Structure formats: structure tokens, C-alpha cells
Amino acid sequence: MRITALSLASGALLAFSGLLDAQPRLTGGTSYLMNQAIDISDDFRDLANTYFIADHLASFDAASGEGLVGWKRYRMTPRQAFNTNIQQVQELQMLDFPGTAYVNDPELRIKLDFISPRTVRVRMLTTPVVPREEESIMLDGKPSNDTSWKVTETGDYVLYTGDFGSIRIDRSPWRIVVLDSEGRVLTRTAACQDTDLTQVKFLPFSFIKRGSDNARRINPVFTLSAGEMIFGCGESATGLDKVGQKLNLFVTDPQGPETDQMYKPVPFYMSSRGYGLFYHTSAPLTCDFGASYIGLQKIYMGDENLDLFIFLGEPKDILDEYTTLTGKAEMPPLWSFGTWMSRISYFTQKDGYDVAKHIREGRYPCDVIHFDTGWFEVDWQCDYEFSKTRFEDPRKMLDDLKADHFHTCLWQLPYFTPGNRYFGELIDKGLNVKNGNGSLSYEDVVLDFSNPETVKWYQDKIGRLLDMGVGAIKVDFGEAAPLDGIYHSGKSGWYEHNLYPLRYGKAVSDITAERHGERIMWARSAWAGSQRYPLQWGGDAATSDTGMLGTLHAGLSFGLSGFSFWSHDMGGFVQSSPEDLYCRWIPFGFLTSHTRAHGAPPTEPWLYDSERMQTVFRESAEMKYRLMPYVYAQAKECTQKGLPMLRALFVEFPHDPGAWKIDDEYMFGSQILVAPLLEEGMTGRTVYLPEGKWIDYQTGKVYTGGWREIEAGKLPVIMLVRDGSVLPHVALAQSTDQIDWSRMELRLYAADAKTASGLVCLPSDGSLQTVKVDRSGRILSAPKGVSVKVVR
């Protein structure tokens, strides 16, 4: 009778789970809304699911790094304790029929590969079926093979030792243990035995078989140590240290960088303890970094298998290893580092000429004019053609703007409403994402970039615009790939949704490189690997101090996720920016790799009835254009090392404990520290300075490391130069193609330093050179072919 009752109960649970699957779950009384982030952790609390916990190493060949992990079967069951119900797992003897066809406690494959002296790959399966090898668009080619690791084996463990640390596989209980070069445990997986030490019966390293559909999902669980900090996971606007947070890595449109959701999630992060982890998957993930249990990092994966890369080292080492694996950004063209002038939107050819005229007459250095949603005949209706009623001769306009030293950028998106001229054609040609019935997933057509024919069709349209003289394409949206869609790749939206921004951006970047020989676009969404196709911007920020702070957090987090180049809408996007906010945001924007004025009009400084506003804009732009040799050389180094231009302090100062705590300042490249003014009316602020001397770029005052109260200079921003720096400058030009690179001013910043150095990269040859000057101003090494003058 007990078996029958259990069977009936299980059947009811399965039916209920299936119902939940068919009818999306309710959260706070609200049904799931399309393309909102998914919390995978819900699956790992479901009583209808079967749980398998990694138990022991059943067999292993140390030479090949392959073996079997023994998993024990459990069920999740409620437990009452004085009128409080909790959940915990209990060993389960399966009731599967026929019993001879299935295994209660499976032994499933594990494989280790050694990619470099700092990188190890761990793959684990949850089924006996080994997936076929296929090229991953997230990786920059096939991972390499390193033979420097040494293996030792005992009855208790298998230990692989490299130059920078070790990976240990414990036999029973099964664990993966990550150690540094001194043998200190950095992190390890959680086992069932760990729950004996606490009344909180957390779920250790496990996978589930869902009762609703028998789909398997894996849950790697690693320890968190006291004081440990976690950074990365994409363009996250919340606090920079993710410990205590729960993040859903699911590409979505959060409507701005002020929430816990992201345009650009990335399943990669690094720890302050000297390791990084990359979960090589495109399925949704939920990362619980000590949010539900303070000693654990729980990664709830929508994937049935684990493909994990472990990196060892300091932040610069980890970023270099990760971007070697997934690709480094190519160097964007010089002109892209100049000012981009935009609003939502310029609607006519006359608008384009008027903007160009005001820029040049007002002496605002600028390289790009962007036409947003209004260049089509119908606003927002993307058909890749200039309006015939408002643009009399677009080709001539493009030529004229180019003659006036402007590149142009055009907005577009990958969705086609029923009224769009291409709606029927795309359906007829089968170039759209389809639902399970072979029809549309949405009311709109969504381009299927996993289909080579779709890419060809799309690149033909974009290529014609580039051939006309357009300089760059705005790659807007891309966050709404149908989750239930069926894609040409043969995969469902569960695996294609997060890949969509990567495929979308690649299509634009590739055709731009083919037609112009340049890697440049302006994209909003991203996933792991998108850093190969610069660049991305921060989305639709609120026109508020909160929007500015969220933007800064997002940019810092994005840089710690492998992206070298990034931008944001100065002043915020949603409304016309108040003067005080815009003036504080503008220097932050110009001290970012790429700079754009964009949002609700007016964004143009000459339309503000404020001399201060116009001066701050003009002089911030002038500062960046004079600093262009520094900007360009630092950008070049970023492409070589996988570093971000907008850089968290601890990347440069990993041994300074205070630097790890700072999330409202940044390094602009390796030598300039920037502290934006983040509150209305601020003229100065408290600033943390890493150890050493720092020289104020605007006033020349010298500060020592520690917490300091600093007033801004003429521009409303704190901007300090690291002692021992040489910052190369050029004479002011109104566009980057007018810069005279043959003459440079080397500004020396030396308080205590006996010598100073910096980097120079000439656009003419692209090579990175080091310049050195002693504190007296004597040149020790200078860039070849350049006339230099030292200024102290």
C-alpha cells in the first residue's frame, strides 16, 4: 500500500509539474512575462524532481584525465521541526520500470584537459551519451593543449600540479579542489558530508532529472571563504562584489542599468582569492554567490552537462587567459575613439547638416554623427533605406559629412513588424526563428542568425549601406530571441537565446570588416565571446544620479568580464538631462574608451542655454582629443592582454586590500584614476588612492595613498595620474584624422619616482612602444619617427 500511495503521489507531482511547465509559473502573483530573466534555482527546490549528488570517483585514468564519477540518487523531501518545514534530500531507491533498464546510482563521465599553465578544463556528463564535438561560437578556435602539468596519484586523490597552482580530484567523498602554488585551498566543491556540519541542509554538487520532462540540469557548488569577493558575470549594475547577490545570466532588456538584470550577462567571473571560472554554456544560469548560504557559490545551470574552465592567477592573468580562450577585441579604428554626437533622433538630411555645422562652428571636437530610429520613411520601421521624403540625396550627405571629417552611424534592429516591407519575404524564405509549428514565435519576424542564408540576406542589406559610405551600424536590441523558438542550428531557444547577441554582432562586425577593413559597431546586447566584436554600450540609462551610478557599476563589471571597449549615454537616455547631471556625467563619458552623447533631446551642448554646459562639453572633448595618444596606446595594450580600458582599481593594484573594495572609481587605462561626481551639487568627494603618490591632472596637487577629500578642478571630475607616468599628448584637433602624430608632448608626472614611463602607439603602424623619461626631463627612450617635447 505504501508503494501504491507513493506512486500515486509521484504521479500527482509529475502531473502538477507538467502543468507548471505548460503554464509558466507564477511569481508574486504575476505570470512569467516574455523574455524576462529566468531563475534556474527554482528547479533545484522542486519536490517532483529526482536529485543526483556526486559521491565518489568510481574509476579514473590519471594519464588521460578521464574517468567516472559515482552519483547517488536522492529525493527532496519536507522535514518538520517544531512547526517549521524545511527541505532536505533523502536517499532514494528508484521505482523506475523496468528496473533492469535503468541504474539507481549512475557512474558518469568526467574529463580533465590542460589548456595552458594557468587554465584547466573540466567536463562532466549527466547522461551516458557523449555529446558530439562541435565548434563553439563562444570560443576563439579550439582550445590548446598544455603538457607542463605533472600528475601524482594516491589512494585518496589524484593531484595535477602546474607552475601556478594545482587541481586535486578527491576520491571519496568526490571533490574538485583548486589550490594555489603554495598549496593553499582556493575553493573546492561541496559534498554531502559537508551538510553534516550544519543544520542548514544545502544541496551540494548535484544534478536533477526534472519530473516535468526528465530534462537534466547540473548544479556545480563551490565553497566561498571568509572575505572572498567575486567579480564579473557581465554588465551588472549592482554592487561590484557579487558576494551576497543572486544573478540570473539570461540576456534580457532590463530597460536600463539600474536593476539586477542584464543586457550583457557573461558566465565568467573571478575571485579575490586568485582563481576564475568560465561556464562554457549558452543555457540560462543562476549564480548564487552566498545569497542563500554564505559559505557557498551555487551555479544553477540550465545545461545538462558541465563544461568548466578554471583559471589561476591575479586579475590580469585571469583576464588574459579567459580572453585567449574566448577571443580578444580587435583594435577599433582611431576615429571611433572620438566624440559620437546623437539623439533620439535626427530625422532629416537637413538635421545632419545642421548638427555638423553647429559642431564645427562651436569647436566641439567630434568624429561621428549618429542617425537613430528616424532615418527610415517610418520611424522605427527598419527597411535599410533612407526616407525619400526627408533625405533628398543621402549619398551626397554622407560624402559631404566625410569631407567635413565626420563618419556616420545608422540605427537598426533585427525584428520586423507585420507592417514592415520585408515581413512577408523573410517568412517566405524561411529566414526567421520559428515556433514548434513552423510558424512565427511572436507577432514580429525575428531574424535567425544561426541560418547562413539569413546572415547572407542581412549582410547584403547592411553591406549596401556601408558601400554608400556609412561608417558604423548600431546593433540595437537582440535580447528577445524566442525562448521557445526552433532555430536553423537545430537547437531550441533554450540554447540559442543567449547566443543571439553574439551571432547578431558577429554578422555586423564581419561585413563591416569585409567592406571597410575595420571592426566597429555599436551594440547593446552581448554574451561570452562578444568582446571579439567591439563595441558595446550600456543601454538606456535613467536620467538620474542612480542611472549614472548604475552605469559606472555596469561598465566596471563588464570590463571584468573580458570586454576591453565600452561606452554609455552621457547624461542618461530617458529624458533631457538636467544641467548639473549632464555636466558631471560628461567628463566620465570622455574618460571612457568610447564617448557618445545620446538620448532624449536635447543632447547637443549648443542647445543648452548655459555657458557652463557648453564649456564643460567642449573642454572635456578637447581633453580627450589632446590625450588621444594615451587613449590609443592604452587601447592597443588592452587588445593584446584582454584588459578593459575602464578598469577596476584592483586590476592595477591586486595587492592593495582597499582597491578591491572600491566600486565608484576606476582606472582609465593603467595610469589615470577617475572618480566621477555622483551626486547633485557635488564639487568634490572622498577618494580612495592606492599606495604611492598621485598628481591631480587638472591642478597639479600631489596626494598620498589612502582616503582623501579632493575637490574637482575646472572640469567636474576627480582625475589623478599615477606617480611615475608619462602621458603623451598632441596638439588639439577637431577630428582624429586631423591629429598631427609627428609631434608629441610628453607630460611627466613624477613626485617621488626617479623615472617615468608611458606607452605610445602610432596609428600608422599599430606598434606599441614604451617611452621613458627621468625626473629631470631627460628622455631615456622615445617613439621612433616622432618629435617629442617633455613637459614637467
Side-chain angles (χ1 to χ4, degrees):
M1 290 295 294
R2 186 170 62 181
I3 294 176
T4 302
L6 181 59
S7 299
L8 288 171
S10 297
L13 283 170
L14 283 168
F16 182 60
S17 179
L19 178 64
L20 285 178
D21 231 37
Q23 302 293 325
R25 301 183 182 211
L26 301 180
T27 302
T30 302
S31 297
Y32 173 75
L33 296 175
M34 183 169 64
N35 287 316
Q36 294 300 300
I38 294 172
D39 187 343
I40 301 296
S41 69
D42 289 345
D43 275 337
F44 290 83
R45 293 188 294 268
D46 195 330
L47 302 184
N49 296 337
T50 304
Y51 293 75
F52 297 86
I53 296 177
D55 184 73
H56 62 280
L57 194 61
S59 63
F60 196 76
D61 177 44
S64 65
E66 295 188 56
L68 298 174
V69 173
W71 301 77
K72 283 196 175 294
R73 182 183 294 244
Y74 291 80
R75 65 174 177 175
M76 187 71 73
T77 183
R79 172 178 177 260
Q80 177 182 293
F82 287 103
N83 303 309
T84 297
N85 285 348
I86 61 173
Q87 289 177 302
Q88 68 182 64
V89 292
Q90 187 175 51
E91 285 196 51
L92 175 66
Q93 184 60 44
M94 71 178 189
L95 300 176
D96 297 2
F97 181 84
T100 55
Y102 303 100
V103 178
N104 193 77
D105 298 328
E107 295 180 354
L108 299 168
R109 186 172 183 250
I110 181 173
K111 187 176 190 316
L112 274 65
D113 294 291
F114 299 89
I115 310 304
S116 79
R118 293 188 184 272
T119 302
V120 179
R121 185 181 196 178
V122 180
R123 285 179 280 185
M124 299 180 71
L125 305 184
T126 64
T127 76
V129 180
V130 178
R132 72 179 187 276
E133 290 281 345
E134 58 181 24
E135 184 178 352
S136 170
I137 193 174
M138 288 177 275
L139 303 182
D140 189 23
K142 186 177 180 180
S144 57
N145 178 54
D146 181 70
T147 59
S148 66
W149 292 74
K150 309 301 181 186
V151 62
T152 56
E153 191 171 5
T154 74
D156 295 325
Y157 59 79
V158 180
L159 179 68
Y160 293 94
T161 303
D163 293 338
F164 303 100
S166 303
I167 301 294
R168 194 179 77 213
I169 310 297
D170 289 351
R171 296 185 186 276
S172 184
W174 176 86
R175 298 184 195 275
I176 297 175
V177 184
V178 183
L179 307 100
D180 68 12
S181 58
E182 303 298 319
R184 180 181 68 134
V185 173
L186 302 178
T187 188
R188 59 179 175 82
T189 56
C192 241
Q193 287 80 348
D194 297 330
T195 65
D196 296 338
L197 306 174
T198 173
Q199 291 194 117
V200 181
K201 302 306 178 184
F202 57 78
L203 190 64
F205 197 111
S206 59
F207 73 86
I208 59 170
K209 183 174 73 172
R210 299 203 317 167
S212 59
D213 56 9
N214 275 9
R216 294 164 192 253
R217 293 180 180 171
I218 195 162
N219 176 208
V221 179
F222 286 86
T223 56
L224 276 174
S225 297
E228 183 170 1
M229 291 171 278
I230 298 291
F231 302 92
C233 288
E235 191 192 53
S236 172
T238 56
L240 196 60
D241 174 13
K242 301 308 174 191
V243 171
Q245 300 184 38
K246 185 178 181 183
L247 285 77
N248 297 314
L249 304 190
F250 181 88
V251 174
T252 190
D253 178 358
Q255 304 294 302
E258 300 99 35
T259 77
D260 60 345
Q261 307 307 318
M262 289 178 265
Y263 299 107
K264 310 172 190 67
V266 179
F268 160 74
Y269 58 86
M270 68 178 75
S271 164
S272 59
R273 288 175 66 82
Y275 68 91
L277 301 177
F278 169 48
Y279 293 89
H280 178 213
T281 182
S282 59
L285 301 87
T286 295
C287 302
D288 179 330
F289 296 116
S292 61
Y293 191 81
I294 62 172
L296 296 176
Q297 46 181 307
K298 308 173 183 177
I299 311 300
Y300 301 100
M301 300 179 65
D303 208 327
E304 63 183 354
N305 297 317
L306 174 67
D307 188 359
L308 173 65
F309 291 87
I310 302 170
F311 310 104
L312 297 168
E314 294 186 344
K316 286 186 177 182
D317 302 318
I318 291 170
L319 286 169
D320 190 31
E321 291 290 311
Y322 170 70
T323 55
T324 296
L325 180 71
T326 58
K328 291 178 166 62
E330 288 193 31
M331 187 69 175
L334 172 64
W335 57 263
S336 73
F337 294 95
T339 311
W340 297 51
M341 184 60 69
S342 176
R343 64 156 61 183
I344 183 165
S345 170
Y346 301 132
F347 286 98
T348 68
Q349 183 167 315
K350 182 177 182 300
D351 285 345
Y353 283 124
D354 285 349
V355 170
K357 178 174 180 289
H358 281 291
I359 289 171
R360 294 299 181 231
E361 287 182 351
R363 306 292 290 174
Y364 301 102
C366 184
D367 273 75
V368 185
I369 295 174
H370 170 69
F371 292 84
D372 213 63
T373 63
W375 61 281
F376 316 110
E377 192 63 54
V378 179
D379 193 18
W380 293 91
Q381 286 292 331
C382 176
D383 63 2
Y384 309 106
E385 290 191 8
F386 282 92
S387 164
K388 291 180 171 55
T389 60
R390 301 192 308 279
F391 290 83
E392 298 79 16
D393 191 343
R395 187 180 292 272
K396 182 178 185 302
M397 179 193 73
L398 295 172
D399 290 342
D400 290 345
L401 292 177
K402 192 67 177 290
D404 201 11
H405 308 281
F406 289 108
H407 291 76
T408 51
C409 178
L410 298 181
W411 177 93
Q412 53 82 68
L413 82 171
Y415 314 142
F416 297 80
T417 62
N420 190 286
R421 60 183 287 193
Y422 291 117
F423 183 82
E425 176 185 338
L426 290 165
I427 295 172
D428 291 343
K429 291 181 176 178
L431 305 182
N432 59 297
V433 179
K434 302 171 182 63
N435 64 13
N437 194 38
S439 185
L440 292 182
S441 289
Y442 303 152
E443 293 174 273
D444 296 350
V445 161
V446 177
L447 292 177
D448 182 357
F449 288 109
S450 75
N451 184 348
E453 290 302 313
T454 302
V455 174
K456 181 180 177 182
W457 181 92
Y458 176 70
Q459 288 183 331
D460 178 67
K461 300 293 186 290
I462 298 297
R464 292 178 189 177
L465 295 169
L466 297 171
D467 289 344
M468 283 180 68
V470 172
I473 299 297
K474 183 174 176 179
V475 185
D476 207 358
F477 293 89
E479 303 94 357
L483 193 60
D484 63 351
I486 307 299
Y487 293 72
H488 184 270
S489 65
K491 296 183 179 181
S492 72
W494 191 255
Y495 287 93
E496 283 289 344
H497 173 91
N498 283 335
L499 283 182
Y500 195 88
L502 177 53
R503 295 190 189 277
Y504 176 28
K506 182 179 186 300
V508 174
S509 185
D510 284 351
I511 190 64
T512 306
E514 178 187 309
R515 300 300 172 89
H516 287 176
E518 298 173 335
R519 286 280 182 197
I520 184 64
M521 63 178 184
W522 199 271
R524 191 172 77 172
S525 54
W527 185 251
S530 292
Q531 73 273 5
R532 299 194 299 268
Y533 311 111
L535 61 104
Q536 289 74 28
W537 100 99
D540 302 342
T543 312
S544 66
D545 288 343
T546 299
M548 186 178 179
L549 177 62
T551 294
L552 176 54
H553 284 171
L556 286 169
S557 186
F558 199 48
L560 294 169
S561 304
F563 287 76
S564 294
F565 305 113
W566 176 79
S567 187
H568 47 97
D569 293 344
M570 294 188 296
F573 171 82
V574 180
Q575 296 181 0
S576 178
S577 188
E579 179 183 328
D580 177 79
L581 176 65
Y582 207 178
C583 283
R584 288 183 287 110
W585 203 318
I586 285 168
F588 168 35
F590 279 97
L591 293 169
T592 303
S593 74
H594 289 76
T595 303
R596 184 173 76 157
H598 180 72
T603 58
E604 304 83 358
W606 58 88
L607 292 179
Y608 280 77
D609 187 18
S610 165
E611 183 177 343
R612 176 176 182 255
M613 167 71 201
Q614 294 171 19
T615 299
V616 168
F617 196 105
R618 181 184 298 108
E619 293 187 359
S620 295
E622 289 175 349
M623 173 184 65
K624 186 175 186 181
Y625 276 67
R626 288 191 177 102
L627 267 171
M628 197 58 69
Y630 173 82
V631 174
Y632 196 72
Q634 293 287 324
K636 182 67 175 182
E637 185 180 44
C638 287
T639 66
Q640 295 175 349
K641 298 182 178 180
L643 294 169
M645 279 288 286
L646 191 134
R647 192 173 303 175
L649 265 59
F650 67 78
V651 175
E652 285 298 320
F653 303 96
H655 303 294
D656 182 336
W660 291 86
K661 301 287 188 180
I662 304 302
D663 66 0
D664 61 356
E665 306 170 21
Y666 64 94
M667 297 296 295
F668 182 46
S670 62
Q671 295 177 305
I672 297 175
L673 185 150
V674 181
L677 303 182
L678 296 167
E679 294 183 37
E680 183 177 357
M682 287 181 78
T683 60
R685 53 165 286 186
T686 304
V687 180
Y688 179 79
L689 302 178
E691 185 179 1
K693 293 289 180 67
W694 295 83
I695 300 98
D696 193 308
Y697 181 84
Q698 299 189 76
T699 68
K701 292 181 181 178
V702 178
Y703 299 90
T704 57
W707 291 100
R708 298 287 175 260
E709 292 292 330
I710 302 178
E711 285 294 307
K714 185 177 182 182
L715 295 178
V717 68
I718 311 297
M719 183 180 174
L720 304 169
V721 183
R722 198 173 179 173
D723 188 23
S725 297
V726 171
L727 303 187
H729 287 64
V730 287
L732 178 63
Q734 294 301 304
S735 63
T736 56
D737 65 351
Q738 295 176 302
I739 291 175
D740 181 2
W741 291 85
S742 68
R743 296 178 180 276
M744 258 181 226
E745 184 178 272
L746 302 181
R747 294 196 185 175
L748 172 62
Y749 295 85
D752 290 344
K754 292 183 172 57
T755 60
S757 63
L759 296 174
V760 169
C761 179
L762 300 179
S764 57
D765 65 8
S767 63
L768 201 59
Q769 304 177 60
T770 299
V771 295
K772 289 185 179 180
V773 179
D774 70 17
R775 64 178 300 114
S776 70
R778 183 168 60 94
I779 298 172
L780 304 177
S781 66
K784 297 176 182 178
V786 179
S787 174
V788 296
K789 173 185 175 183
V790 176
V791 177
R792 299 180 64 190

